[in-house]
Amino acid sequence: MSTVYNFTVKDRQGNSVSLSEYQGKVLLIVNTATGCGFTPHYEPLEAMYKEFRDKGFEILDFPCNQFANQAPGTEDEIHAFCTLKFGTEFPQFAKVDVNGESADPLFAYLATQKPFDGFGKGLKNAALKKFADMNNKGFGEMAYIKWNFTKFLVDRSGKVIARFEPTADMKEVHTAVAAELEKHA
């Protein structure tokens, strides 16, 4: 059976990192952007990281510029922004594409394990869907991720168990992470 541990990604310096290094941990894998309306998600993400990292939790941050060019800059510039503005300490990897022919294989895998199921109800969510659909039109069947700050929860065995769209309440994400960590406490 394939798991996230079968994938190798690049760190901010371009070095290969096998996700098997995170074996046995609960992971939250997120595609991020520094100039997005959801960028404030960094704050509750960092709070969750500080609360749970000693219990076997890691957040893996992958900046992505495929959504309205909302992650401009180099890896170092993005990292400096995140650490200075939000105090982030969780691992941040190299900028990736999450859609199309150039999609990082990890994100194609994550999205096929937990496909998009909508942004939820409400006017804001409907507006985001319209904007995301326009943005992702060129990716067709390879529009795996619909917007920045899509989060995938991975259990300690490397299996993708949940997907949270950027519109999901961060309290819901926190509850799911806490519940998963309690399973093997």
Side-chain angles (χ1 to χ4, degrees), residues 113-133:
Q113 295 300 298
K114 289 291 178 189
F116 179 69
D117 194 27
F119 286 120
K121 295 180 169 59
L123 287 175
K124 284 170 106 175
N125 297 347
L128 178 59
K129 180 184 180 333
K130 186 176 180 180
F131 194 67
D133 287 348

Side-chain angles (χ1 to χ4, degrees), residues 103-148:
D104 187 281
L106 171 64
F107 279 88
Y109 170 78
L110 293 168
T112 56
Q113 295 300 298
K114 289 291 178 189
F116 179 69
D117 194 27
F119 286 120
K121 295 180 169 59
L123 287 175
K124 284 170 106 175
N125 297 347
L128 178 59
K129 180 184 180 333
K130 186 176 180 180
F131 194 67
D133 287 348
M134 282 188 337
N135 184 81
N136 296 330
K137 192 185 324 183
F139 301 122
E141 293 297 313
M142 297 178 103
Y144 303 113
I145 310 297
K146 302 305 178 182
W147 206 252
N148 300 310

Side-chain angles (χ1 to χ4, degrees), residues 32-33 38-51 59 61 81-82 85-90 149 151 170 174:
T32 62
F38 295 105
T39 300
H41 279 208
Y42 273 119
E43 194 171 317
L45 286 170
E46 180 60 22
M48 216 181 335
Y49 185 63
K50 284 182 174 151
E51 180 181 354
I59 295 174
D61 175 359
F81 171 85
C82 294
K85 184 153 176 74
F86 297 102
T88 57
E89 296 179 8
F90 46 81
F149 289 91
K151 302 157 196 77
M170 287 301 293
H174 182 278

Side-chain angles (χ1 to χ4, degrees), residues 53-122:
R53 69 179 164 199
D54 292 338
K55 296 178 181 175
F57 176 62
E58 288 288 342
I59 295 174
L60 308 183
D61 175 359
F62 292 86
C64 176
N65 198 38
Q66 286 189 303
F67 304 100
N69 299 312
Q70 293 180 341
T74 66
E75 278 86 351
D76 287 340
E77 291 167 337
I78 291 168
H79 184 69
F81 171 85
C82 294
T83 55
L84 292 172
K85 184 153 176 74
F86 297 102
T88 57
E89 296 179 8
F90 46 81
Q92 189 174 66
F93 293 85
K95 193 187 294 189
V96 296
D97 285 345
V98 297
N99 289 325
E101 293 290 332
S102 61
D104 187 281
L106 171 64
F107 279 88
Y109 170 78
L110 293 168
T112 56
Q113 295 300 298
K114 289 291 178 189
F116 179 69
D117 194 27
F119 286 120
K121 295 180 169 59

